[in-house]
């Protein structure tokens, strides 16, 4: 008999839902949820499909969140089997979305189906927040749903996002927070002139060099129990006309902070500008705050997850805040406790994306055990 989570994962993996196209995934998932008493609310925006499905009105509210869109496949000829024809071989499930994150979505649905079947009059409420705009610009997906929920005063007590968080084996790592992302485009102004007459100009590259060195050497913070120290990195740098005999009139530097809860974006901006001012630079900066950091410390949800993974997988999990940003950044401001728990991240976005074939069933069991611990305790 085929495992129901594996079967559901394969079914939605067969939908070619390259971001921001849902390609029918949410119709499949919505039908499953409606069949067990969920009310469905479609909060689509600008062509992005967004589903808010809820069962019950009582507190606490436990939410599973995720996305049905996937990244492009890359060259089809490089795949061993077609990316949207999920295939099991050598003990693994292959196909686009296997890791990121259709297995997580499928596991959440089957966990809730089993939980409701066993406890039809369960305390509290259950909900799903699903979007097809996570892998793209993320302007009209989860952020649109959370804006709607916030506008009508709805808050989430607990949330699990099924992003791939494991490293070597299912459950060995979960995310209890994510770093913030603060980017900037720095324009250092100089005076262009003939390179043989530098006294007639002002070289912004030479002027900025000492400031760049100090910025690169600065300790922005020491991190904390859950977060590594904040980092500052240059991603792009450009100056000059392309000619070898012209001092450039400006220098453009693109940079990024990945920062912890030990720092604030406002504080980082002030400190960076103070260093630039120290060296007398004439400059402009355009800032973009991509995400604020969020953190769920030890408490009911984290403790329930640790116990569920121990009972299901027989291992001790690591709580981590490493990696990039996720849609958790949009949910955290209206949610009391939030974790990301999912399969191995080793092949996410790669050719021949895959996970262990037993991961879907195990992940569903973990989710169900967490639900029981939180809502039935």
């Amino acid at each position: 008999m085929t495992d129901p989570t594996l079967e559901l994962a394969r079914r939605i993996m067969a939908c070619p839902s390259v971001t921001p196209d849902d390609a029918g995934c949410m119709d499949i998932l919505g039908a499953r949820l409606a069949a067990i008493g969920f009310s469905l609310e479609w909060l689509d925006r600008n062509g992005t499909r967004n589903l808010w499905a809820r069962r019950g009105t009582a507190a606490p509210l436990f939410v599973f969140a995720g996305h049905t869109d996937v990244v492009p496949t890359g060259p089809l000829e490089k795949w061993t089997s077609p990316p949207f024809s999920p295939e099991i071989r050598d003990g693994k499930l292959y196909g686009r979305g296997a890791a990121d994150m259709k297995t997580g979505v499928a596991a959440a649905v089957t966990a809730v189906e089993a939980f409701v079947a066993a406890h039809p009059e369960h305390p509290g409420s259950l909900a799903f927040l699903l979007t097809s705009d996570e892998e793209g610009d993320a302007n009209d997906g989860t952020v649109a749903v959370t804006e709607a929920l916030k506008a009508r005063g709805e808050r989430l007590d607990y949330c699990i996002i099924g992003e791939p968080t494991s490293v070597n084996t299912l459950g060995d790592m979960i995310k209890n927070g994510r770093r913030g992302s603060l980017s900037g485009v720095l324009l250092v102004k100089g005076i262009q002139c003939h390179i043989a007459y530098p006294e007639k100009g002002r070289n912004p590259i030479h002027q900025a060099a000492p400031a760049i060195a100090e910025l690169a050497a600065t300790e922005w913070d020491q991190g904390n129990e859950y977060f590594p120290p904040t980092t500052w990195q240059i991603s792009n740098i450009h100056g000059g006309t392309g000619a070898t005999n012209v001092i450039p009139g400006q220098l453009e530097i693109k940079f990024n902070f990945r920062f912890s809860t030990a720092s604030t974006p406002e504080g980082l901006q002030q400190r960076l500008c103070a260093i630039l001012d120290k060296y007398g630079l004439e400059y402009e900066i355009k800032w973009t705050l991509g995400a604020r950091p969020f953190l769920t410390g030890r408490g009911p949800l984290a403790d329930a997850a640790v116990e569920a993974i121990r009972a299901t997988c027989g291992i001790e999990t690591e709580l981590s805040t490493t990696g990039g940003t996720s849609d958790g950044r949009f949910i955290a401001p209206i949610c009391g406790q939030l974790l990301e728990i999912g399969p191995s991240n080793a092949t996410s976005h790669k050719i021949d994306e895959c996970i262990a074939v037993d991961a879907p069933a195990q992940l569903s069991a973990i989710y169900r055990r967490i639900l029981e611990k939180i809502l039935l305790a």
Side-chain angles (χ1 to χ4, degrees), residues 106-273:
V109 171
T110 58
V112 168
E113 287 175 333
F115 178 80
V116 168
H119 311 284
E121 304 299 325
H122 62 81
S125 301
L126 297 168
F128 279 79
L129 193 170
L130 301 175
T131 181
S132 65
D133 180 29
E134 196 272 351
E135 297 291 7
D137 294 333
N139 292 326
D140 298 302
T142 298
V143 64
V145 180
T146 55
E147 286 172 358
L149 296 176
K150 185 177 180 179
R152 61 199 193 197
E154 292 189 56
R155 281 190 58 83
L156 289 52
D157 295 293
Y158 305 98
C159 180
I160 290 178
I161 305 176
E163 289 284 2
T165 60
S166 302
V167 181
N168 297 311
T169 186
L170 180 68
D172 61 1
M173 179 181 288
I174 62 179
K175 304 293 184 180
N176 67 321
R178 294 279 188 170
R179 294 176 295 174
S181 176
L182 175 65
S183 297
V185 179
L186 169 64
L187 190 67
V188 181
K189 300 177 182 179
I191 299 175
Q192 182 174 315
C193 70
H194 196 295
I195 207 162
Y197 303 97
E199 70 279 3
K200 298 182 182 296
R202 189 173 76 239
N203 193 322
I205 299 175
H206 291 191
Q207 283 195 309
I212 294 172
E214 182 167 339
L215 289 167
T218 296
E219 180 182 80
W220 303 97
D221 59 45
Q222 295 183 339
N224 55 36
E225 177 185 359
Y226 294 106
F227 286 96
T230 292
T231 62
W232 179 83
Q233 291 290 319
I234 292 174
S235 58
N236 291 272
I237 187 165
H238 176 75
T241 64
T244 59
N245 60 350
V246 180
I247 286 176
Q250 65 181 33
L251 171 68
E252 182 186 81
I253 298 172
K254 295 181 179 179
F255 61 87
N256 177 265
F257 284 103
R258 291 300 165 110
F259 63 101
S260 72
T261 51
S263 290
T264 65
E266 297 78 13
L268 294 172
Q269 289 174 351
Q270 291 169 4
R271 290 181 64 190
L272 182 137
C273 289

Side-chain angles (χ1 to χ4, degrees), residues 246-324:
V246 180
I247 286 176
Q250 65 181 33
L251 171 68
E252 182 186 81
I253 298 172
K254 295 181 179 179
F255 61 87
N256 177 265
F257 284 103
R258 291 300 165 110
F259 63 101
S260 72
T261 51
S263 290
T264 65
E266 297 78 13
L268 294 172
Q269 289 174 351
Q270 291 169 4
R271 290 181 64 190
L272 182 137
C273 289
I275 291 173
L276 299 179
D277 293 339
K278 173 182 173 181
Y279 291 95
L281 301 182
E282 183 184 356
Y283 65 90
E284 296 175 356
I285 301 180
K286 293 182 180 179
W287 294 97
T288 301
L289 179 60
R292 289 184 179 271
F294 62 90
L295 177 68
T296 295
R298 287 287 183 175
L301 187 60
D303 292 346
V306 169
E307 188 278 332
I309 291 169
R310 182 188 300 125
T312 304
C313 304
I315 60 175
E316 295 298 317
T317 193
E318 176 186 354
L319 275 64
S320 171
T321 61
T322 58

Side-chain angles (χ1 to χ4, degrees), residues 46-92:
N46 293 331
T48 293
R49 294 210 82 188
N50 297 312
L51 174 60
W52 173 249
R54 179 163 178 162
R55 185 183 197 273
T57 58
L61 173 58
F62 194 113
V63 179
F64 285 99
H67 61 90
T68 58
D69 58 321
V70 297
V71 296
T73 62
L76 293 175
E77 66 274 10
K78 292 185 178 294
W79 285 75
T80 305
S81 54
F84 295 113
S85 297
E87 182 174 298
I88 297 171
R89 61 178 187 274
D90 303 323
K92 294 181 179 180

